[in-house]
């Protein structure tokens, strides 16, 4: 049986890691992948630009749908230039209708895709004590072959 929950989550992590590399290659920022759900205190965040998942949830419908936020945060970004540049590039990558590959979490084998659905949003920048944060909320439809 397919582990749809883990496969979709691992695929979103991979999406973030690849996006971080694109930002590095383009000279925009040097973000690290970070699981925002793993830390509730801002002072526990690494001293680096970050991109990662927060609030990953799956509705057990047929086919399943996923809700997730992709968080972006920068350090020492006084005018939020890197934050806004990364957010803009991210939004362009996850517009409704975009297909995101799904990988098997254990083998890396390519599985059917998930599709970004209508209903996403971008939060305003939250200025925390040490860093700004922005989240792009997504709704994803998962291919029925995975369920």
């Amino acid at each position: 049986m397919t582990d749809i929950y883990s496969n979709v989550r691992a695929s979103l992590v991979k999406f973030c890691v690849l996006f971080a590399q694109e930002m590095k290659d383009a000279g925009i920022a040097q973000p690290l992948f970070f699981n925002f759900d793993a830390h509730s205190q801002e002072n526990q965040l690494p001293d680096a630009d970050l991109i990662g998942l927060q609030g990953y949830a799956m509705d057990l419908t047929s086919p399943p749908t996923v809700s997730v936020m992709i968080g972006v945060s920068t350090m020492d970004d006084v005018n939020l230039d890197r934050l806004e540049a990364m957010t803009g590039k991210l939004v362009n990558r996850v517009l409704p209708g975009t297909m995101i590959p799904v990988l098997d979490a254990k083998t890396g084998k390519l599985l059917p895709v998930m599709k970004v659905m209508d209903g996403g949003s971008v939060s305003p920048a939250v200025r925390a004590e040490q860093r700004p944060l922005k989240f792009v909320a997504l709704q994803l439809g998962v291919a029925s072959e995975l369920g």
Side-chain angles (χ1 to χ4, degrees):
M1 179 170 193
T2 301
D3 183 355
I4 188 169
Y5 181 87
S6 296
N7 290 345
V8 169
R9 187 181 183 290
S11 300
L12 291 168
V13 169
K14 179 74 171 181
F15 175 87
C16 289
V17 168
L18 291 174
F19 182 81
Q21 187 60 52
E22 288 175 25
M23 295 300 94
K24 291 175 187 176
D25 293 346
I28 294 171
Q30 300 289 316
L32 303 174
F33 174 78
F34 185 77
N35 180 356
F36 286 99
D37 283 333
H39 294 80
S40 61
Q41 301 289 329
E42 181 201 355
N43 62 4
Q44 295 176 333
L45 301 179
D47 290 336
D49 292 352
L50 305 172
I51 183 167
L53 305 179
Q54 182 177 41
Y56 175 75
M58 181 176 283
D59 291 326
L60 303 178
T61 55
S62 182
T65 57
V66 169
S67 300
V68 67
M69 292 186 291
I70 299 177
V72 177
S73 180
T74 52
M75 286 292 295
D76 302 320
D77 188 13
V78 176
N79 292 315
L80 306 184
D81 294 329
R82 291 191 324 279
L83 181 75
E84 295 300 343
M86 284 199 302
T87 302
K89 297 280 187 192
L90 178 59
V91 166
N92 287 334
R93 292 283 311 276
V94 295
L95 292 171
T98 300
M99 302 293 194
I100 298 175
V102 178
L103 305 171
D104 185 291
K106 292 182 180 168
T107 67
K109 177 185 171 192
L110 192 59
L111 301 171
V113 297
M114 57 187 145
K115 183 178 181 179
V116 179
M117 300 172 12
D118 289 336
S121 64
V122 179
S123 72
V126 175
R127 189 82 173 164
E129 195 172 305
Q130 298 176 354
R131 63 173 61 238
L133 297 129
K134 224 171 206 195
F135 291 93
V136 177
L138 301 175
Q139 301 292 319
L140 303 162
V142 179
S144 59
E145 297 86 14
L146 291 174

